[in-house]
Structure formats: structure tokens, C-alpha cells
Amino acid sequence: MVKPYTDLDDNGNVIVERGRVVTFDGFMTALYEREINHIVPNAKLYLELEVQGSCRVGLFHRSQAGVVTEFAMEKHVGKDPHEVRTIRIDFDIVGAEAKLGRWYFTIEALDFYSAAQESNEKSEADGGTLLHKAYRSAWNALGVEGTPTDVILRRATWGVYNAKLQEVRPCFVICTFRREKQLAGNVDRLVSALEAEYPGYGIIIVDNARTVERQEH
């Protein structure tokens, strides 16, 4: 589920309103490890986003027990609020069965003050938090040209690096009863289609009449 629910622009892109955080943690947006592990064990993965605007992107892992771990939190600020950039975060799949779960991400559309100030620059002493809030309100009220606007999410992709898929060895079973000519033609067509791409292929003949003579190809 995407929380909170977002609007879409005329091209179907997701709009993240300035100052808000949207979580992409649903069946169609999260990455489930169990399914990936069956196909590509110990995979090297990445999250790739194509966004417009200044934002902070977070990558999280939620275990089957519901324990959430923050894996990455990256801030991306551009001088041009209309600039479209590609963001990629690399990560490794969690291989232990006890830790299998899912990966999800968040996007925060930075407001004016957040885009100009790193959070570690503020001081908690001597009313630093209140001063920080006051600066934020003042910056947000300005709305001058060149400052951050809403973030547009154009594309989000989960990817696998150099996945080594398991070797495929196709095997065909043909049942026949006194159809030697048709059988020979089918075998020849299979051999022609398979021998170049799948040298380890197999063809099994079930001869119910025991009239087929074995031939070498």
C-alpha cells in the first residue's frame, strides 16, 4: 500500500507533495525476498528511481516478524526544481530464512528549509529546535523561484545485478503407438530447434506398440 494515497499528474506519474513523506510498501511496490531467493539465491539487488525535484529517499527492510530496519537514507537536492534525476541504491538480499521479509522505500519531498539545511546543522541547545522550526516556517513562506516544489516520481524499479540463473535442461516426452513416420518427423524438428541452444536436452519416447527402432541423431 502507498501511504498516504497520492495524486497523479496528467502522465500518470506519482506526485509527492512538498513536505510530505510517502511510503511505498504494498504488494505491487515492495520486493519480497522469498520469491527472489527461489530464482536467484544471494542476489545483488538495487532500487532505481527516476524523480523530479528535491527529495530524501529511504530504503527499509521489514522481516516476517515485523521488525523494520533502515538500510539507507539519501538526500538528493538539485539547483533546478524541474531537473529529472536517476537515483540508484544498491543492497544485498537477506539470505537467512529467519530474516526473510520484504524491502520497501519512502520518498520525502523536501520543503524549502530542508533542502537548504542539513538536519545535523541545527543545535538542540539554547532553543535550537524552536529556532529550527521558525527558520523552516520562514523559508516555506517565501516560495521563491528555484526553491523545491512537489516531487514527481516517474519510475521505480527493483533490479538484479548479473543474475546467474539456474541452467535449463529441457526434456520432452512423446507417447506413440504405431506412428513411426510422424514420430521421426517430430524428433527431427525437436533436435533442430534444441541442439544449438540447449546441448543438454533430452527426448524420451514411450513406444506403446514396441515397434520403433532406436536411431542415433
Side-chain angles (χ1 to χ4, degrees):
M1 181 180 295
V2 177
K3 297 180 180 179
Y5 294 109
T6 58
D7 292 328
L8 303 178
D9 65 12
D10 294 338
N11 296 316
N13 300 315
V14 175
I15 301 174
V16 182
E17 294 181 2
R18 175 167 51 86
R20 301 193 70 179
V21 180
V22 176
T23 300
F24 297 83
D25 182 18
F27 183 75
M28 300 299 293
T29 56
L31 177 70
Y32 290 79
E33 291 175 321
R34 187 181 301 276
E35 286 70 17
I36 295 295
N37 249 348
H38 288 167
I39 304 173
V40 190
N42 302 317
K44 302 290 184 180
L45 306 172
Y46 63 86
L47 169 66
E48 185 173 281
L49 307 175
E50 186 177 289
V51 299
Q52 173 184 324
S54 298
C55 62
R56 183 180 287 110
V57 177
L59 177 62
F60 299 85
H61 179 267
R62 186 189 303 275
S63 70
Q64 289 181 324
V67 178
V68 176
T69 302
E70 179 184 304
F71 180 83
M73 185 66 69
E74 298 184 358
K75 184 177 181 180
H76 298 269
V77 178
K79 295 181 179 179
D80 182 359
H82 302 293
E83 175 189 358
V84 177
R85 66 174 61 85
T86 299
I87 300 170
R88 176 174 288 198
I89 302 176
D90 298 337
F91 62 100
D92 296 335
I93 200 167
V94 178
E97 183 70 20
K99 295 182 180 179
L100 281 178
R102 67 180 184 269
W103 294 84
Y104 67 94
F105 63 97
T106 62
I107 296 179
E108 176 187 358
L110 298 179
D111 57 25
F112 302 117
Y113 186 73
S114 295
Q117 292 287 105
E118 292 288 350
S119 60
N120 59 7
E121 292 179 356
K122 67 176 182 177
S123 171
E124 295 294 336
D126 300 326
T129 301
L130 294 176
L131 184 61
H132 172 73
K133 291 180 179 179
Y135 282 151
R136 179 186 297 274
S137 298
W139 276 70
N140 289 342
L142 292 177
V144 296
E145 183 178 358
T147 51
T149 58
D150 295 342
V151 168
I152 306 298
L153 175 61
R154 297 175 176 270
R155 177 175 58 86
T157 304
W158 299 102
V160 181
Y161 282 112
N162 299 326
K164 184 178 180 181
L165 300 179
Q166 298 180 2
E167 182 180 356
V168 176
R169 182 180 182 272
C171 185
F172 296 84
V173 178
I174 302 177
C175 298
T176 185
F177 184 83
R178 298 185 185 278
R179 294 182 179 272
E180 290 81 359
K181 291 183 178 181
Q182 293 92 331
L183 174 65
N186 289 335
V187 171
D188 289 341
R189 282 187 285 271
L190 283 174
V191 171
S192 298
L194 296 172
E195 62 181 353
E197 297 292 335
Y198 303 98
Y201 71 90
I203 300 176
I204 299 174
I205 307 299
V206 180
D207 180 15
N208 293 301
R210 298 184 179 181
T211 59
V212 177
E213 296 182 1
R214 181 182 180 87
Q215 298 181 8
E216 297 296 334
H217 280 268

